[in-house]
Amino acid sequence: MATKDPTAVERANLLNMAKLSIKGLIESALSFGRTLDSDYPPLQQFFVVMEHCLKHGLKVRKSFLSYNKTIWGPLELVEKLYPEAEEIGASVRDLPGLKTPLGRARAWLRLALMQKKMADYLRCLIIQRDLLSEFYEYHALMMEEEGAVIVGLLVGLNVIDANLCVKGEDLDSQVGVIDFSMYLKNEEDIGNKERNVQIAAILDQKNYVEELNRQLNSTVSSLHSRVDSLEKSNTKLIEELAIAKNNIIKLQEENHQLRSENKLILMKTQQNLEVTKVDVETELQTYKHSRQGLDEMYNEARRQLRDESQLRQDVENELAVQVSMKHEIELAMKLLEKDIHEKQDTLIGLRQQLEEVKAINIEMYQKLQSSEDGLKEKNEIIGRLEEKTNKITVAMRQLEQRLQQAEKAQMEAEDEDKKYLQECQSKSDSLQKQISQKEKQLVQLETDLKIEKEWGQTLQEDLQKEREALSHLRNETQQIISLKKEFLNIQDENQQLRKIYHEQEQALQELGSKLSESKLKIEDIKEANKALQGLVWLKDKEATHCKLCEKEFSLSKRKHHCRNCGEIFCNACSDNELPLPSSPKPVRVCDSCHALLIQRCSSNLP
């Protein structure tokens, strides 16, 4: 017979062990029915088998101090080939307790299993055989077809949910030895597995109830924090409403002041118009007495009257526009007051809702306390049941031992009867008495077995009651979820109210800017009314720059009319005052007109 290659036999053995460990891990995990911990024996054996598979055929790297043969080198290559694996590499390097490359490799395998991407990472390694040849011999498992088969088997582990604590474990000093007894099944092991499954189901129920309690506690704390935040936001809204009310009162006062100023302006314009009418009538009477040579003056006076009437119409139009603006401002103020009343109503409703939420939270807290008390009682009952089960198992073992001893005693008695019938007739009576005693013991054992069966039935009934209590707790969690949804809806309504409040603040700012513009216009109208003395004035809209310095007008650089020429200048170019023939009082005059008038006065002087 041809001798087989020992490396091929090693690869086949490792492949078979990998199949058994992966299959056993998946079956046990599905029967276990919950997330696996690091103490789970099939999971520990799986990592040991994977470590042996990755170590097969590794090249020995020489260093100055010792020989290095670890699997951390090829696993580091995964970061370059698969970008998503960078997080695992970084987290493994950041772990404080790991000192050796082997410990880092073991931590890397555990994190890859938790991410459910072990098969994807190792597939990238197997494809790049050129890079793997730096770390493995040509006959290694990862370089042959067996490696691809193992990677295909690892895809099935995506069904498993594992929760492994890598920080606390001592991965550097673990000894990786394969335990073959886990894969050899006996009848006693099957019975123990069934008992372990029942105990695991009870522990699962206990863990589920504890997790429910933790979730309920976390939800209650989050609800408390959200209620506190809502109360803070409500206080902020109340303060902002008070500020808005103060702003509205200030705007109302400014509106009253503007109205009084407009009334004064109208009175002054009417007085000026009456004065001008009286002057025109007197001039007409003088013109009637002296018509010769005054036709031109009469035509000029008519022109001046037309210009003044046009100016009056312009002023009246501007006043009408300002009146319409005031009406609009009043309407806006009324709308703001309505919005404020609506906000107050919504705030009252939100406070009522908050009080209801507080009452619900108090009820939920009371229910949680009652549920915690019930859980404590159930945990105590479970502990008592576990103690009873342990006692029952001990009694069963003692009964089995007694039965075995009784059977041995019967066999010995029968042998002695067959051998010594002739010699031991006198002892037969004593033997019959012993047999009767043993029969009584058997009857007692049967009664004990019946009692144990009744205990088992009571245990099942207790388990059913616990399941009903668990269903009741699930219903309560659903109620808590509905309360969460209602709380989220209240938060959305609060955000909408904040948006409306910001929009109203913007509207108030725009109204303030419009009021400031109207004040500036009123001052310009005042100056225009003072200068109504028969001159052709430029309109404010037509002038955008000063005529002398040619600088643009703005809020800081305002417009001023010259009472002599009627042109528009800035304050720096028209800060002079002189008496004119039309007005004996000194009036604002531009720099050019000021210089001309002074020259005329100096030439007229002797």
Side-chain angles (χ1 to χ4, degrees), residues 355-373:
E355 290 176 355
E356 291 174 357
V357 169
K358 285 180 181 178
I360 291 164
N361 285 326
I362 290 163
E363 290 177 358
M364 291 301 296
Y365 183 72
Q366 291 175 357
K367 289 181 180 178
L368 278 170
Q369 286 181 350
S370 62
S371 64
E372 285 176 356
D373 295 330

Side-chain angles (χ1 to χ4, degrees), residues 87-331:
E87 295 180 0
I88 293 180
S91 59
V92 168
R93 293 187 193 94
D94 293 335
L95 287 172
L98 300 177
K99 297 179 181 178
T100 61
L102 183 60
R104 295 190 188 97
R106 288 169 177 170
W108 189 93
L109 289 173
R110 282 157 176 76
L111 292 174
L113 182 65
M114 283 194 284
Q115 281 190 350
K116 298 182 180 181
K117 289 186 178 180
M118 187 185 287
D120 297 332
Y121 295 155
L122 294 178
R123 188 181 290 111
C124 293
L125 276 177
I126 288 170
I127 292 168
Q128 301 293 329
R129 292 191 178 179
D130 296 333
L131 297 173
L132 279 178
S133 61
E134 295 179 2
F135 300 96
Y136 288 102
E137 301 289 344
Y138 67 93
H139 58 80
L141 186 140
M142 296 295 287
M143 299 290 288
E144 297 293 335
E145 294 180 356
E146 287 84 354
V149 174
I150 290 171
V151 171
L153 293 170
L154 290 173
V155 176
L157 295 176
N158 294 333
V159 181
I160 297 170
D161 294 326
N163 186 8
L164 308 175
C165 183
V166 183
K167 288 183 179 179
E169 290 190 15
D170 187 10
L171 299 176
D172 293 328
S173 61
Q174 285 184 1
V175 179
V177 179
I178 299 172
D179 187 7
F180 292 99
S181 64
M182 292 181 66
Y183 308 105
L184 300 173
K185 296 181 180 179
N186 295 323
E187 293 179 356
E188 293 179 356
D189 294 335
I190 293 165
N192 291 324
K193 283 183 180 179
E194 290 177 354
R195 291 176 185 173
N196 290 326
V197 167
Q198 291 177 357
I199 293 165
I202 293 166
L203 291 171
D204 288 335
Q205 291 175 358
K206 184 179 177 182
N207 291 324
Y208 180 71
V209 171
E210 289 176 354
E211 288 178 359
L212 279 175
N213 284 323
R214 289 172 187 170
Q215 291 178 358
L216 288 170
N217 289 322
S218 62
T219 51
V220 168
S221 62
S222 63
L223 285 171
H224 282 300
S225 61
R226 288 178 182 174
V227 166
D228 293 332
S229 64
L230 278 173
E231 288 177 353
K232 290 179 182 177
S233 63
N234 283 325
T235 54
K236 288 181 181 178
L237 285 171
I238 290 163
E239 291 174 357
E240 289 172 356
L241 280 171
I243 293 164
K245 285 181 181 178
N246 293 324
N247 291 324
I248 288 162
I249 292 164
K250 289 179 182 178
L251 289 170
Q252 287 177 354
E253 291 175 356
E254 288 178 359
N255 194 1
H256 289 302
Q257 289 177 1
L258 288 171
R259 284 181 182 176
S260 62
E261 287 176 358
N262 283 324
K263 287 179 182 178
L264 292 170
I265 289 162
L266 287 169
M267 293 292 288
K268 288 179 181 179
T269 52
Q270 287 177 0
Q271 290 175 2
N272 290 322
L273 287 170
E274 288 175 358
V275 170
T276 53
K277 283 181 182 179
V278 171
D279 292 334
V280 169
E281 286 175 357
T282 55
E283 284 176 0
L284 285 170
Q285 288 176 1
T286 54
Y287 289 150
K288 286 178 183 179
H289 292 294
S290 59
R291 286 183 178 177
Q292 295 175 356
L294 296 173
D295 291 333
E296 293 177 357
M297 295 292 289
Y298 185 73
N299 292 324
E300 288 177 359
R302 279 186 176 179
R303 288 175 186 173
Q304 288 177 0
L305 282 169
R306 288 175 186 173
D307 294 333
E308 287 174 357
S309 62
Q310 287 179 358
L311 287 168
R312 183 182 176 184
Q313 288 178 358
D314 294 332
V315 170
E316 287 176 353
N317 291 325
E318 288 179 355
L319 287 170
V321 170
Q322 287 178 0
V323 170
S324 63
M325 289 288 289
K326 287 177 184 177
H327 288 299
E328 289 177 355
I329 289 164
E330 289 175 355
L331 291 170

Side-chain angles (χ1 to χ4, degrees), residues 37-79:
D37 298 328
S38 58
D39 295 332
Y40 194 57
L43 188 61
Q44 292 177 354
Q45 286 300 309
F46 165 73
F47 286 125
V48 172
V49 172
M50 285 303 300
E51 187 178 340
H52 281 282
C53 292
L54 291 170
K55 282 182 178 178
H56 185 263
L58 265 177
K59 289 182 179 179
V60 178
R61 291 192 175 187
K62 294 181 180 179
S63 63
F64 292 104
L65 298 174
S66 62
Y67 292 99
N68 189 6
K69 185 178 180 182
T70 60
I71 57 176
W72 176 239
L75 293 178
E76 278 186 319
L77 280 175
V78 180
E79 296 180 14

Side-chain angles (χ1 to χ4, degrees), residues 26-37 40 196-197 200-201 204:
I26 292 168
E27 289 178 354
S28 61
L30 292 174
S31 63
F32 198 47
R34 62 188 178 91
T35 56
L36 303 180
D37 298 328
Y40 194 57
N196 290 326
V197 167
D204 288 335

